[in-house]
Amino acid sequence: MTTDPLTTGALLEERMARGDVFSVRCPSREIMQHVTSRWGVLALVALRSGTLRFSALRRRVNGVSERMLAQTLKALEEDGLVERRALPVVPPHVEYSLTPLGGGAAEKVNALADWIETNLSEILVQRAGR
């Protein structure tokens, strides 16, 4: 008789502690979507340079709509990767920065973005050849 490793005591606890991105039920998939979306990657990479106001971040992440950037930042904030700070001034100013957890995620997606930029010529040649 075989047992399902997803439903046996200690193995389940270990898997839940680490996550299982291949499982449709794993909450890590939603977080992965937030972190690796086009705008999530660009926002995280942009914030590596330090705290930015919303308008400066939007200019830095060229091409993103105000609504999409706000949704992306809200998701990253809910995941604990970005900190939002509203300043009590008129007109209102909102600043965003990476949390320590977000700094780790930003480092990883920055490496991916660097890899893409480094290999862009070859990727475009492969694309054109198909």
Side-chain angles (χ1 to χ4, degrees), residues 10-62:
L11 287 177
L12 176 60
E13 289 175 23
E14 291 171 17
R15 291 176 69 94
M16 290 305 291
R18 168 126 183 4
D20 181 10
V21 297
F22 294 109
S23 171
V24 71
R25 297 177 307 225
C26 187
S28 62
R29 284 191 175 191
E30 183 179 6
I31 297 161
M32 186 181 301
Q33 173 61 36
H34 298 159
V35 171
T36 62
S37 70
R38 173 182 11 180
W39 306 122
V41 168
L42 294 175
L44 290 168
V45 171
L47 288 170
R48 288 184 77 222
S49 64
T51 300
L52 292 172
R53 287 181 39 193
F54 183 87
S55 56
L57 183 56
R58 185 165 176 229
R59 282 190 301 274
R60 181 79 190 263
V61 181
N62 192 6

Side-chain angles (χ1 to χ4, degrees), residues 115-129:
W115 180 88
I116 291 168
E117 289 291 321
T118 299
N119 293 284
L120 186 59
S121 296
E122 185 177 341
I123 293 167
L124 293 175
V125 166
Q126 293 296 319
R127 228 189 226 186

Side-chain angles (χ1 to χ4, degrees), residues 78-89:
E78 288 171 354
D79 293 337
L81 304 176
V82 169
E83 181 180 354
R84 178 185 188 273
R85 195 169 124 220
L87 303 174
V89 296

